[in-house]
Amino acid sequence: MDLDKRPAPRNGTRRPAPRAKKKTPDFDFVTADWATPGRDEGLRHTLIVVAFLLDLLLHSGVGLAVWNAFVHSAQPPWNPIMSGILAGVIASFLHRTFLQRLIRTTLGKALFGLRLRGDDGSYPTLWRLIKQWFVGAFLAVAAPLQILG
């Protein structure tokens, strides 16, 4: 018996070799046919920006709600402004990492049918989303400091 040859299955059909997962370094937004990449780049980029702004508005709204609740409480347990900022940051992190991993999109992107996917159709891993969030948070803090400094 030759060790290099595997015996054929009994029913005569061959099993295809398992496909290796293709790793893609960058992910791109894809959506329904009317705004797919290559069709109308201006519309596609506009949708991405509006979806980001809606997500940012959601995160800011959570922060403002917590700030408002702490300002109007008789004995706030902590500084209301810092509480609002921390709540907005936590909402952003949870929304853009864990929730996006579960439902494959954020709420702002979902309004336009956008999803974050790779060229091979795979979705980003949780660790990739966490990394992207930290890079985005760093750039959001560093960009104004670069302008002011």
Side-chain angles (χ1 to χ4, degrees), residues 2 18 30 33 38 65 69 74 81 89 91 96 102-103 106-107 109 121 134 137 143-145 147:
D2 190 4
V30 296
D33 186 47
I81 293 174
V89 168
R96 293 201 49 227
L102 287 175
I103 64 172
T106 62
L107 298 176
K109 292 176 203 161
F134 276 107
L145 293 177
I147 293 170

Side-chain angles (χ1 to χ4, degrees), residues 36-118:
T36 53
R39 296 278 310 259
D40 185 2
E41 290 298 314
L43 173 65
R44 193 169 146 268
H45 289 297
T46 302
L47 291 177
I48 292 169
V49 169
V50 172
F52 173 78
L53 292 175
L54 288 174
D55 287 337
L56 184 64
L57 186 64
L58 173 71
H59 307 153
S60 300
V62 169
L64 287 172
V66 169
W67 169 77
N68 189 34
F70 275 34
V71 163
H72 295 329
S73 66
Q75 295 249 334
W78 198 44
N79 183 348
I81 293 174
M82 291 305 294
S83 300
I85 292 171
L86 186 61
V89 168
I90 290 171
S92 173
F93 180 77
L94 293 175
H95 182 231
R96 293 201 49 227
T97 57
F98 293 103
L99 186 68
Q100 184 168 343
R101 179 67 183 148
L102 287 175
I103 64 172
R104 308 287 191 223
T105 187
T106 62
L107 298 176
K109 292 176 203 161
L111 290 174
F112 300 107
L114 296 167
R115 289 193 177 171
L116 194 61
R117 292 169 90 181

Side-chain angles (χ1 to χ4, degrees), residues 3-50:
L3 295 177
D4 291 336
K5 294 183 180 176
R6 288 186 281 174
R10 292 183 184 211
N11 63 3
T13 59
R14 297 189 70 164
R15 286 180 274 155
R19 286 187 175 178
K21 287 188 176 181
K22 179 182 170 187
K23 294 196 174 200
T24 56
D26 296 319
F27 284 88
D28 191 18
F29 291 100
V30 296
T31 184
D33 186 47
W34 54 275
T36 53
R39 296 278 310 259
D40 185 2
E41 290 298 314
L43 173 65
R44 193 169 146 268
H45 289 297
T46 302
L47 291 177
I48 292 169
V49 169
V50 172

